[in-house]
Amino acid sequence: MREDILIAQECHDLPPAQAGALLRSPAPLAEVFQALDRTETNHMDDIRAVLENCAKDRLRTEREKTREEAR
């Protein structure tokens, strides 16, 4: 989860005042993580959706391979 916070920061620049406020924190990553931990998110729903899509892609690939081998 902490890695996700860092990636989000890389992809989304905060305005200078907001970035400065976080940098003045003695532990900015821990502070954001604690706030996120108290927030209701769809993180698990996203993981489930990716898991399902990955499984569907694998099934499709296996079926295509089976069809090609049958020819």
Side-chain angles (χ1 to χ4, degrees):
M1 189 79 86
R2 286 181 168 93
E3 292 85 8
D4 294 341
I5 295 168
L6 293 174
I7 290 169
Q9 175 52 35
E10 285 180 6
C11 297
H12 177 73
D13 290 332
L14 289 174
Q18 292 177 357
L22 282 178
L23 291 174
R24 288 189 294 276
S25 169
L29 183 57
E31 189 173 328
V32 173
F33 181 76
Q34 288 174 356
L36 181 61
D37 197 38
R38 292 187 305 263
T39 303
E40 185 67 33
T41 67
N42 294 326
H43 191 72
M44 291 306 292
D45 291 337
D46 294 341
I47 291 171
R48 285 186 201 101
V50 169
L51 181 67
E52 184 177 335
N53 289 335
C54 189
K56 286 178 183 178
D57 290 346
R58 169 61 73 179
L59 282 173
R60 184 174 55 251
T61 300
E62 290 174 354
R63 287 180 186 138
E64 289 172 0
K65 185 177 179 181
T66 301
R67 277 189 227 127
E68 288 175 10
E69 290 174 351
R71 291 182 195 177

